[in-house]
Structures are given as C-alpha cells and as structure tokens.
Amino acid sequence: MTWEIKIGKKSGALLLITAILSALGLYSWYVMFTTPGTVGTNMFVPWGLVPSLYIFLVTSGACFVASLPETFGYKPLEPLSRRALWAALATLLVGLFVIVLDLGRPERFYYSMIGYVNLASPMLWMIYLYIAEMIVLAVEFLIAFRRDFAFIANRSTGLKWLVYRILALGTKDESEASLRRDMKLCSALGFLAITLLIAAYSNLGMIFAAVDARPWRVANLVPFEMTLFGVTMGVALITLLQILAIWARRSELSREVKEGLLALRKILAILLVVCTFFISWEHLARAWYLSPQVYEMEWAIAFGPLAVTFWGGQLLLGLLVPLLMLSIPRIGKTLSGLAASSLLVIAGVFATRYLMVVSGQLPPLMDGLPFGAYSPTLIESLFALGILSLTALVLMIGEI
C-alpha cells in the first residue's frame, strides 16, 4: 500500500460513486425506520436481510489471512498480510456500524454493554468479543504500519506531519531494529486476534443455536458453520482485493505476490471441499430428523421459497463452480479466474448467511400458525447495496 494521497480521475469517480451509493443506503435506513410497510419482515419472520448483512460483514475472516504469516510464519502470504489486516478492520467496522443502525435507537447502543449486563447471555459476549477484536485489530494495524507512518512524518510539515505523527504513535524510529520489534508485537497481536476471531464467530453461531423458540437449527453445527464459512470468505476476499489492486494500479505481478495468490488458491480450494462436505451432510442429517419443524425447514430450503438461494446461490455458484474453476489450472492459476472464483465464493457465503438467518424462522412455532414468509423489499435491498458500497469505499480509502 502507498500512503501518499494521489487520486486519479478513474479512482476519484469510483470513490464518488461508492460514496453516493453509501448515502443512498443510509437514506434507505432512515426510510425503513420511519415508514411502516417498507420492510419484508413480519411477526413470524422478524429477522431478514439486514441481520444477514451484518453477520456477513463481521465474519469476513480476513483476519485469518493476516495472521497466517505474522503469527504462524506462513511466508507465502507475507506480501498480502497488511492488506488483509486493513480488510479485516474495515469489514468489522462497517459490520458493527450496521448492528448499531439496526438497534432502532442507535444513540443507546452503550446500554447493551453497560446498562443491562447479563453474563449468561451469548449476545452480551458477542458485543464484548467483537469490540475486543476491533481494538486488537486497530492496534495491530497501527503497529504494522508504524514505520511507514514515521517515514512520512519525518519528511512532512504542518497538518500532514501531525496526522502521520499521531498514526506513527508519536515515534520517529525508522530502523530495522524497530521493524523487527514491531513484527514481534504484530505476531503476538495476531495470535490474540485469531483467538478472538474464533471465539467471536463461534459465539455468534451460538446465538442462533441457543434460541429455545427455534430448536430445530441443529445447535451443535451452527458455531462451526459460522467459523468455517467466515474463514473461507476471508481467503476469497483477500484474493479478490489483491487482484483488484494489481489491475487498478496496472502493476506487474511480482513473484512474491504470485506465490501468495497461488497459496490462497490452494487454501480456498481445500476450504471449499470442506464446506461442500459439511453442507451436504448437514442437510442430509436434517432430512432424517423426526421433528416436523426440521422437515419443514429443510423443505423450505430444498424445494420451497429458499430453493433458488440454496441450490443456485450457495451450492452451485458459491461452492461447486468456484471449486471447479480453481481445480482447472488454465482457469484457477490466472488472475481473472482467481478473481471470478473468489467473487462467487463471497456471494455464496452471503447466501449461506441469508439461509441461516431466514430458514429457521419459517416453520410455525405452534399448531395453527401459518408457515413463515419473507422476501426483501426494494428499500432493504437498497440499504444492503449502500452498506456494501460503504464497505468498498472504506477498503478503497485504505488503498490511497
């Protein structure tokens, strides 16, 4: 990453477009919370696209890629680790922002942390774990780039000097010894970050698994599913971002970056095999359950209102097609093939999050109640588009 602010015409136009779409998303949020009937949720299906969106963002898994070279010494990913660190922080910040907006009264968000504390609540621990992860990632980010910031601050004056001196944590040292010290700190912080990632993702899955009113989610699988697909998305996201950065800057593909991308290709292919195995047996096991609610949920996923999302979005485009693309060297070893397969995986993970949130709410809670129904409205879709644009905007700012 370069840290001198140089914005070309195309980059400026892209920043402007994403900023406008982000503003449209925020306006859509205002409409959702002030105008009745603008959302597709109802008393039987109270959670829809918006919870799926913030679960998708806060479980982006980019921290996994950042921690592999720093903490576990996996050298092929070293050239990609700092971009992964920024992506992890950016997606987490936007995801937490969506959660705050979804509270309805966002100015009271601190009540959930200190106002009404129930240590037995997985929801409370979700808040604490994600805030802790955000703090650790922010500190790790500043330390990882401290030398770069110090370099610019030492050669700047005025406001620019002040900004970069603050980002450099007040230090001036540019020596190799200081870099080695920073890397040791990043290694320790990376281990803490990956530990918090696993705890936060699995605890978020626990929230869905522990809902007594919806006991047919198969509780022991949801925390593992949340973590597995989060890590898979992280690998796909960093692969896509690295390739987009190469294309945007029209830079040559260095040997180190090529090795990193090929390593991510192998990791992503292995993860897709595991995800396909997991999803297949998860649904086959549920099909043999005696509970009528489990059967109704599986019917909704396989043959009912969620069938297109499951067969087309999650299974075909999200798992099988990218796995096939990565398995063919003529496709999987090219930048365009890697980018396309990574984009499909990311879309497939979003479909997975949507299915996880919506499907468990469709079976009726008791005899006599109707089968649940939900489809996102235009306003909800515009909000999702705006939030994804905001995520892209924040990621692009990190590339300036």
Side-chain angles (χ1 to χ4, degrees):
M1 296 183 183
T2 58
W3 293 96
E4 295 289 343
I5 299 178
K6 297 177 181 179
I7 303 176
K9 290 184 179 179
K10 292 183 179 179
S11 299
L14 194 56
L15 286 170
L16 179 61
I17 291 172
T18 52
I20 292 173
L21 291 175
S22 301
L24 177 62
L26 293 178
Y27 174 74
S28 301
W29 166 80
Y30 172 78
V31 173
M32 283 194 300
F33 279 92
T34 58
T35 308
T38 55
V39 295
T41 52
N42 49 69
M43 63 182 296
F44 301 111
V45 186
W47 282 7
L49 183 61
V50 176
S52 307
L53 181 63
Y54 67 66
I55 292 172
F56 171 74
L57 289 171
V58 300
T59 59
S60 72
C63 174
F64 170 77
V65 179
S67 297
L68 281 180
E70 294 177 351
T71 305
F72 302 101
Y74 189 57
K75 296 300 181 183
L77 297 185
E78 202 168 70
L80 287 65
S81 63
R82 300 209 297 180
R83 176 168 284 109
L85 187 56
W86 172 248
L89 184 58
T91 51
L92 180 58
L93 286 172
V94 178
L96 293 177
F97 175 65
V98 175
I99 293 176
V100 171
L101 291 180
D102 196 42
L103 292 176
R105 294 293 299 271
E107 74 278 7
R108 297 183 178 181
F109 76 95
Y110 60 89
Y111 279 28
S112 59
M113 295 181 289
I114 59 176
Y116 304 96
V117 176
N118 177 12
L119 295 178
S121 169
M123 186 74 76
L124 178 69
W125 286 107
M126 179 196 73
I127 297 169
Y128 287 162
L129 286 169
Y130 275 115
I131 290 177
E133 184 181 1
M134 179 181 65
I135 294 171
V136 171
L137 287 174
V139 174
E140 185 181 358
F141 172 80
L142 291 175
I143 293 176
F145 287 95
R146 183 207 59 80
R147 192 187 186 207
D148 301 70
F149 294 143
F151 177 87
I152 297 175
N154 292 340
R155 291 156 181 79
S156 305
T157 58
L159 180 61
K160 182 178 179 180
W161 168 85
L162 178 61
V163 171
Y164 280 103
R165 181 64 72 216
I166 293 173
L167 290 173
L169 304 175
T171 64
K172 300 180 181 180
D173 197 349
E174 303 174 30
S175 66
E176 290 297 324
S178 70
L179 178 61
R180 288 193 295 270
R181 183 180 65 246
D182 291 345
M183 291 303 99
K184 287 182 180 179
L185 287 172
C186 284
S187 177
L189 289 169
F191 180 79
L192 180 57
I194 200 72
T195 303
L196 288 170
L197 176 147
I198 295 172
Y201 290 13
S202 56
N203 179 79
L204 181 55
M206 175 65 177
I207 292 175
F208 288 89
V211 177
D212 288 339
R214 312 282 181 175
W216 43 86
R217 293 184 186 274
V218 187
N220 57 326
L221 297 178
V222 181
F224 178 75
E225 177 184 351
M226 189 75 72
T227 307
L228 173 62
F229 278 88
V231 171
T232 304
M233 176 182 163
V235 176
L237 177 63
I238 301 310
T239 303
L240 179 61
L241 292 178
Q242 182 64 52
I243 294 172
L244 291 177
I246 294 171
W247 286 343
R249 294 174 179 171
R250 299 180 181 178
S251 57
E252 293 185 4
L253 180 61
S254 66
R255 181 179 60 85
E256 293 79 9
V257 173
K258 182 178 180 180
E259 289 178 355
L261 289 173
L262 291 177
L264 287 179
R265 168 181 171 260
K266 293 178 181 178
I267 296 172
L268 184 58
I270 293 171
L271 287 170
L272 288 176
V273 171
V274 176
C275 288
T276 305
F277 179 84
F278 174 83
I279 286 296
S280 300
W281 279 110
E282 178 189 29
H283 290 288
L284 284 172
R286 286 176 176 173
W288 264 262
Y289 264 61
L290 297 178
S291 168
Q293 287 90 353
V294 175
Y295 175 81
E296 290 173 338
M297 182 177 70
E298 284 301 306
W299 179 89
I301 293 174
F303 307 107
L306 300 176
V308 174
T309 304
F310 172 65
W311 294 106
Q314 183 187 42
L315 198 58
L316 183 63
L317 296 180
L319 292 174
L320 299 180
V321 171
L323 180 58
L324 179 63
M325 293 172 66
L326 293 172
S327 302
I328 302 174
R330 288 184 302 171
I331 300 175
K333 289 187 176 182
T334 64
L335 292 183
S336 56
L338 272 174
S341 57
S342 298
L343 184 61
L344 288 174
V345 170
I346 294 170
V349 173
F350 185 84
T352 301
R353 301 311 191 208
Y354 180 81
L355 287 170
M356 185 188 67
V357 170
V358 175
S359 63
Q361 302 175 82
L362 298 183
L365 292 174
M366 60 182 68
D367 294 337
L369 292 179
F371 195 79
Y374 170 78
S375 59
T377 63
L378 176 61
I379 290 296
E380 287 177 286
S381 301
L382 289 175
F383 175 74
L385 175 63
I387 292 301
L388 294 177
S389 299
L390 178 61
T391 308
L393 177 63
V394 176
L395 289 170
M396 284 190 292
I397 289 173
E399 298 288 341
I400 295 177

